[in-house]
Amino acid sequence: MEEWGPYHDEDAKKEMCGLDFLSDLRVVEIAEGIAGPYCGKLFVDAGADVLKIETALGDHLRGRAVHGEDQGDGDSALFRYLNAAKRSTVLSGTDVVEVAARADVVIEGNTPARVDIAALRAANPRLVVVSITPYGRGGAWETRPATEFTVQAEGGGILGRGLDAEPPVQVGARLSEYIAGAYGAVGALAAARHARRTGRGEHVDVSLMETITLTYTNFRDLSQRLSGQPLAGLARLVERPSIEPTLDGWVGFNTNTRPQLDAFLVLLGRADLLDDERFTTANARRENAEEFDRIVREVTTTRTTADLVEQATLLRVPVAPVLDGPGILAHEHFRGREALGPAPDLAFEQPYPPYRLNGERPYPRGRAPRLGEHSPRAGVPVPPPLHPGEADALPLSDLRVLDATAWWAGPSSTQLLASLGADVIHLESVSHPDGARMVAQPSERFWERSHLYLATNTNKRDLTLSLGDPRARGHVERLIGSVDLVVENFSPRVFDGFGLTWDLIRSLNPRASLIRMPAFGLDGPWRDNVGFAQTMEQMTGMAWMTGYPDQQPRIPLGPCDPNAGSHATFALLVALWHRDRTGGGSFVEACMAEAALNVAAEVTVCFSAYQVRLSRNGNRGPDAAPQGLYRCGAAEEWLAIAVATDEQWAGLVALLGHPTWASDPALAHRAGRIADHDLIDRELAAWLRDRDVAATADLLVGAGIPAAHARDPRRTSGHPRHVERGFFEPVAHPLAGELSVPRPPFRFSSIRRWNRTPAPLFGEHNRELITGLLGAADEDYRQLVRAGVVGHRPLT
């Protein structure tokens, strides 16, 4: 049996070209598919030793070559992307418990056999077990048949997306599985750090459904409740402008602010429309969609994508080409940043991890393992806990964070830290409030009533102190001296302009880490381009994989921001793990575009490995047939069905009593059902047309068939599974009133309450932070107030 710890043999040392910040962390992965292995990939990329325990048949992704097709001999490129540098062993029964109990972290979920979590934790009280499953562990929903598609529907991720003339459409590329894996890695690493400090292990219970509700619905439940309006018909979410046809392809715009919209109209040569009320708001453009689309496309279809990107960039309009696999591989920015490169076995190209630590990107350290190639390693002594008396504290309660972020990506990262116990100080200024505050209906003090701000800033304190004002400079520097982490997500030139460099921060506080979250990175051809989540979805393959095959690509409209936030949080936790060992802080760069590239990797990997140009396919998917969304009864009542196995197909045939399907041997297998998908769809649609959607979902689920009532994203807080697991928690806001705000998409066995305080009011904690934490005299504070350096009202 090998020794389990850092690499010891010379061949392994030669392969180990990436980061080793987690080299003393031992991870066992008892999971297959995407979510669990992606979680394990994040650990191994940062230097952890990850042992993959498989059955004799192996992870089913070993045999899936191109988006669901059979691989034949050898392991698939997607498997090799997700499992590079891991070790593989074939174990079962008590051997699994024995090996897993010697680890620091066990990742489990979506395996043929259920892992005995209680037995593992009993054998090793310091163990962190992270479960990643469709609906979370416990309760009747734990064993509910499901696929990523049916969970999307159940979590509110499909209904409301697309055009009114078509069925609502899923988010393509199975993104939610990757994102759930990233959240699992965040929870697991935070818990593992706490276990090293205190000796207390944890169960981190990640729900794919909660991930979907959090990242795909844009907090529409909270927005609806804040509006005070009765629940009317559900409007489909299609931004205008968004993805538009060009002379040679597709181009993607987004106009999140009024100046961006005005600049876009100038780009079209239509300055005459700047004050045209038909187009000045998103709702007005939706009501006048046909006319607005005509005006836009009269211009875009006469110009090349490259020309439009160049001109929009000059006008500071967020823009990107809409890229597929070959387009991504050739894009100048990804090439310039070395965000893509050869897989360890040199057989294809793949995205590289989406962050740098102290200037170094954690490249994959070795090839994916062959099935059963390795033997388990023996345990090595774990150092005694340093702070056993703090075992009952929240996992990150020893940290203070300066949160100089805005909108969604940055605040979602620091909110994870705050939820896990860190003291997070959200920094704004009276002249530049967090942009998320401005996404609110007109009302008194509207900036305190934005659903986006209220949903992403719970548990924080708020300080309004201008980074650029000389009168505030000393206070800012003292604040940096008191924190463990500084997090910012401005464009690169903004923080540089304030003079808040890594060298300065390190000189003020050698133990502090700086985390920068630029849209496109701190270097490369697109360094200074304006980028929002929509831009990332357009250029990384997410949009290319979303929508109907005979229509334009559609942006998923949601997941890129929290996806960037979860990846940045994992990277900064790696930096903290490193500080715990060395005493020094780190410089972390976590790029939003590259986080998106990693979770949409199948588009790139499959083209590079097989020259297959994956594309959108409506509500169909790679692993289930039939799979679709079918209308039941009333308008906007939709049933999601995904038949993932031949046994499930037999159950559906028996339920319908369909003699033709029963007698056709070709339909007994997935390939035959894919070939006849159109015919199957028509017959299923006819059977479902007059049925009750909820009763039919229960009927199919009872027969073991993955099915779901597609839920209204404005009503997700009332979903019985969310209620059972306490996913939405009540918080009392002094102006917005009683709110239901989602927690992170995981539960800890030791945490009963996640949203302990509501999102703070603008400048709510100015006095206590400036005179208390920073030690300023009362008169100094009053002078700052009189000068407008601090305040309680933004200059809107």
Side-chain angles (χ1 to χ4, degrees):
M1 184 176 285
E2 302 173 70
E3 182 179 350
W4 196 352
Y7 285 93
H8 296 283
D9 62 90
E10 291 303 316
D11 289 340
K13 286 181 181 178
K14 291 175 184 177
E15 285 188 335
M16 191 171 172
C17 59
L19 292 175
D20 62 353
F21 279 17
L22 301 183
S23 61
D24 62 334
L25 188 70
R26 301 162 299 183
V27 179
V28 167
E29 179 187 299
I30 315 172
E32 60 179 292
I34 293 175
Y38 188 71
C39 180
K41 170 181 164 53
L42 290 173
F43 278 101
V44 79
D45 285 342
D49 186 314
V50 178
L51 175 67
K52 186 178 183 70
I53 296 181
E54 301 184 73
T55 68
L57 296 176
D59 186 328
H60 72 270
L61 270 191
R62 287 183 180 273
R64 294 295 176 86
V66 183
H67 210 50
E69 296 178 9
D70 291 334
Q71 166 74 18
D73 294 334
D75 293 328
S76 72
L78 184 58
F79 174 85
R80 286 179 281 167
Y81 166 71
L82 290 167
N83 294 282
K86 297 176 186 176
R87 298 181 298 116
S88 169
T89 190
V90 174
L91 294 175
S92 61
T94 57
D95 291 338
V96 173
V97 175
E98 180 184 348
V99 171
R102 296 197 301 269
D104 297 290
V105 174
V106 170
I107 303 166
E108 69 93 15
N110 290 346
T111 51
R114 168 76 185 274
V115 174
D116 189 339
I117 297 169
L120 293 180
R121 297 191 65 200
N124 179 4
R126 295 187 181 191
L127 182 65
V128 173
V129 179
V130 55
S131 305
I132 310 176
T133 59
Y135 298 110
R137 290 298 187 200
W141 284 71
E142 179 180 15
T143 57
R144 190 179 182 90
T147 70
E148 193 269 350
F149 176 69
T150 60
V151 181
Q152 262 200 63
E154 203 70 70
I158 297 180
L159 205 65
R161 179 175 288 103
L163 297 176
D164 292 337
E166 302 280 355
V169 66
Q170 67 174 330
V171 173
R174 299 182 286 191
L175 301 179
S176 57
E177 295 190 62
Y178 292 88
I179 300 171
Y183 275 114
V186 167
L189 188 51
R193 178 177 179 270
H194 191 60
R196 281 287 174 95
R197 289 171 54 81
T198 68
R200 189 195 73 191
E202 189 62 81
H203 181 208
V204 182
D205 180 4
V206 183
S207 160
L208 182 61
M209 179 180 167
E210 291 170 5
T211 301
I212 287 165
T213 299
L214 184 70
T215 62
Y216 283 12
T217 66
N218 291 277
F219 305 112
R220 294 180 76 179
D221 186 295
L222 181 57
S223 177
Q224 171 65 34
R225 293 170 187 272
L226 285 167
S227 74
Q229 300 297 314
L231 201 66
L234 179 63
R236 301 283 178 88
L237 288 178
V238 176
E239 286 194 347
R240 286 181 169 85
S242 184
I243 294 175
E244 309 296 345
T246 70
L247 196 61
D248 58 352
W250 302 97
V251 66
F253 304 101
N254 71 280
T255 53
N256 286 353
T257 67
R258 180 58 192 271
Q260 290 168 355
L261 174 66
D262 290 350
F264 176 74
L265 294 173
V266 170
L267 172 69
L268 298 180
R270 296 303 304 268
D272 58 303
L273 301 178
L274 291 175
D275 295 317
D276 192 322
E277 293 183 356
R278 295 176 299 161
F279 307 126
T280 52
T281 68
N283 286 337
R285 293 193 294 279
R286 185 179 298 115
E287 293 170 1
N288 297 281
E290 185 174 344
E291 177 67 6
F292 186 77
D293 289 348
R294 182 189 62 77
I295 291 169
V296 172
R297 291 167 189 178
E298 282 179 350
V299 176
T300 63
T301 55
T302 65
R303 298 167 69 176
T304 65
T305 299
D307 177 46
L308 289 163
V309 168
E310 180 181 4
Q311 294 303 310
T313 299
L314 290 173
L315 292 168
R316 306 295 293 166
V317 176
V319 66
V322 181
L323 299 178
D324 60 0
I328 294 166
L329 287 165
H331 193 266
E332 61 172 352
H333 185 71
F334 295 137
R335 285 299 179 197
R337 290 264 305 167
E338 297 184 345
L340 295 153
D345 60 7
L346 306 180
F348 56 90
E349 290 195 280
Q350 66 178 48
Y352 286 151
Y355 60 91
R356 296 174 180 171
L357 286 163
N358 298 326
E360 182 180 358
R361 189 187 295 277
Y363 298 103
R365 298 179 296 127
R367 61 169 175 79
R370 293 181 291 274
L371 178 61
E373 181 179 355
H374 303 91
S375 62
R377 289 178 175 159
V380 295
V382 176
L386 298 175
H387 306 280
E390 299 175 7
D392 292 335
L394 291 169
L396 300 182
S397 60
D398 61 311
L399 301 179
R400 180 177 293 138
V401 181
L402 175 56
D403 171 19
T405 69
W407 289 99
W408 190 0
S412 73
S413 175
T414 53
Q415 185 187 36
L416 283 169
L417 302 176
S419 296
L420 289 162
D423 176 14
V424 176
I425 300 168
H426 186 51
L427 184 66
E428 306 181 70
S429 78
V430 291
S431 57
H432 290 92
D434 185 337
R437 288 186 178 274
M438 304 298 109
V439 185
Q441 296 296 318
S443 64
E444 182 182 0
R445 297 177 70 180
F446 68 90
W447 57 87
E448 306 290 9
R449 304 174 191 274
S450 161
H451 69 288
L452 180 56
Y453 176 81
L454 293 169
T456 55
N457 290 282
T458 52
N459 303 316
K460 300 180 185 180
R461 296 193 282 176
D462 198 76
L463 172 65
T464 58
L465 188 66
S466 174
L467 290 172
D469 194 302
R471 292 164 294 189
R473 183 68 179 201
H475 299 293
V476 171
E477 292 186 358
R478 282 194 294 276
L479 183 56
I480 291 171
S482 75
V483 302
D484 301 278
L485 302 169
V486 179
V487 188
E488 67 91 13
N489 71 331
F490 298 108
S491 61
R493 66 180 188 276
V494 173
F495 231 57
D496 294 343
F498 292 140
L500 295 174
T501 64
W502 170 231
D503 285 342
L504 175 65
I505 290 170
R506 186 166 46 180
S507 69
L508 294 170
N509 186 348
R511 287 182 56 80
S513 293
L514 171 63
I515 296 87
R516 302 191 68 178
M517 299 175 61
F520 297 105
L522 297 174
D523 55 26
W526 282 44
R527 172 186 185 271
D528 292 319
N529 286 24
V530 181
F532 285 86
Q534 298 95 319
T535 319
M536 311 309 154
E537 294 169 3
Q538 291 155 0
M539 69 186 298
T540 60
M542 291 183 175
W544 191 261
M545 295 295 291
T546 300
Y548 287 96
D550 58 344
Q551 297 177 9
Q552 70 199 76
R554 299 283 177 197
I555 54 173
L557 197 58
C560 262
D561 278 303
N563 178 64
S566 61
H567 282 82
T569 306
F570 181 79
L572 66 86
L573 287 171
V574 172
L576 283 170
W577 187 277
H578 184 62
R579 189 191 73 171
D580 291 344
R581 295 169 59 193
T582 67
S586 295
F587 178 32
V588 182
E589 177 192 353
C591 170
M592 181 191 279
E594 292 167 11
L597 195 65
N598 271 259
V599 301
E602 191 170 2
V603 179
T604 308
V605 166
C606 280
F607 182 79
S608 179
Y610 310 113
Q611 289 71 57
V612 173
R613 188 170 176 250
L614 295 180
S615 189
R616 55 202 170 278
N617 199 21
N619 286 316
R620 295 181 181 178
D623 293 318
Q627 176 176 299
L629 205 64
Y630 307 91
R631 190 191 298 275
C632 289
E636 294 304 285
E637 292 286 358
W638 299 90
L639 179 71
I641 299 176
V643 176
T645 68
D646 295 342
E647 292 75 20
Q648 291 169 2
W649 171 253
L652 180 65
V653 171
L655 189 65
L656 269 65
H658 199 301
T660 305
W661 289 354
S663 62
D664 188 341
L667 298 181
H669 304 289
R670 181 168 50 89
R673 297 193 294 276
I674 290 174
D676 275 347
H677 210 307
D678 289 344
L679 176 61
I680 295 171
D681 272 352
R682 287 193 294 271
E683 297 197 30
L684 273 177
W687 180 66
L688 293 166
R689 187 173 297 122
D690 298 320
R691 300 185 65 92
D692 177 79
V693 62
T696 307
D698 289 343
L699 178 68
L700 291 165
V701 166
I705 301 159
H709 177 188
R711 305 291 179 143
D712 188 330
R714 301 168 302 173
R715 296 176 172 173
T716 49
S717 62
H719 191 287
R721 185 56 169 174
H722 286 335
V723 172
E724 180 184 13
R725 284 174 56 86
F727 179 52
F728 285 81
E729 293 183 335
V731 292
H733 189 273
L735 291 180
E738 192 78 14
L739 307 173
S740 291
V741 180
R743 56 164 169 75
F746 48 66
R747 299 196 304 184
F748 278 32
S749 56
S750 65
I751 298 178
R752 296 291 172 263
R753 174 87 177 168
W754 292 83
N755 291 319
R756 297 172 293 279
T757 60
L761 300 173
F762 191 73
E764 179 178 349
H765 303 94
N766 285 345
R767 178 178 287 276
E768 73 176 64
L769 288 168
I770 293 174
T771 64
L773 177 63
L774 303 183
D778 285 343
E779 179 55 30
D780 290 339
Y781 175 73
R782 287 191 289 269
Q783 287 180 5
L784 291 173
V785 173
R786 287 194 294 269
V789 178
V790 300
H792 296 276
R793 185 183 185 91
L795 299 176
T796 56

